[in-house]
Amino acid sequence: MRRKRIMVIGPRGAGKSTLAAWLGETKVRIGRTPVMVYGERTIEAPGAYLECPWMHCHLIAAAQDALCVIMIADAAGNRRKRTYPPGFAGVFGPPVIGVVSKCDLDPAAVSDCEAELLQAGVPGPFYRSGCGETDEVEALRRAVAEIEVSGRFGG
């Protein structure tokens, strides 16, 4: 039986590698992620896979090896362009968790990010990451641990 991992997806520069490190990886990789990276506990998908609709099938296929899927919305990113198509979270079999990254850099964009995650079909609650958000990261770790133990996400 394959080991289930936490799949992390999001736009380029949203903090996927940092989040993967917080969730138990040993180090943060710097720079672009050109291919799927299978870590000890995580699967990190390149941001480019979200930019090209014909690459979405690779995300869906990789999610078969996932315990859960974490979809990141970047508060500091370009808010004029949507990251996820409407209802996108519904294509994944495992539970989906929403994270808003870089909340400290643009607090006003947090509500826009949460609205995008809702439109993409991600159920709340949403977790926030950024400088000083250690409580939120711990809450996210507990949510992932709940999925590991129970096999489902209670929110």
Side-chain angles (χ1 to χ4, degrees):
M1 183 171 168
R2 284 188 183 168
R3 174 187 218 186
K4 297 288 186 174
R5 293 174 170 86
I6 305 159
M7 185 170 175
V8 182
I9 64 173
R12 291 181 195 198
K16 295 180 297 293
S17 296
T18 301
L19 185 60
W22 285 343
L23 291 171
E25 296 296 317
T26 56
K27 61 183 177 179
V28 176
R29 288 180 303 97
I30 304 297
R32 190 172 147 276
T33 303
V35 295
M36 291 276 189
V37 176
Y38 283 75
E40 198 59 34
R41 293 194 67 218
T42 60
I43 303 168
E44 186 183 336
Y49 283 28
L50 286 172
E51 294 171 8
C52 303
W54 56 271
M55 295 293 284
H56 291 177
C57 62
H58 297 290
L59 295 172
I60 296 164
Q64 294 178 26
D65 291 331
L67 170 72
C68 64
V69 177
I70 295 177
M71 292 174 59
I72 299 177
D74 183 5
N78 182 354
R79 300 307 317 146
R80 287 171 276 168
K81 183 180 176 189
R82 287 222 164 277
T83 301
Y84 303 103
F88 188 61
V91 303
F92 299 111
V96 178
I97 299 173
V99 172
V100 179
S101 68
K102 302 180 185 175
C103 295
D104 56 325
L105 298 180
D106 190 356
V110 171
S111 61
D112 291 341
C113 290
E114 290 177 347
E116 180 182 0
L117 289 170
L118 279 172
Q119 187 176 26
V122 180
F126 301 116
Y127 300 90
R128 298 176 180 183
S129 67
C131 294
E133 298 291 342
T134 55
D135 291 343
E136 290 282 330
V137 173
E138 285 305 315
L140 176 59
R141 283 185 182 140
R142 285 191 302 273
V144 170
E146 177 185 330
I147 293 169
E148 287 175 322
V149 170
S150 69
R152 58 187 166 78
F153 181 53

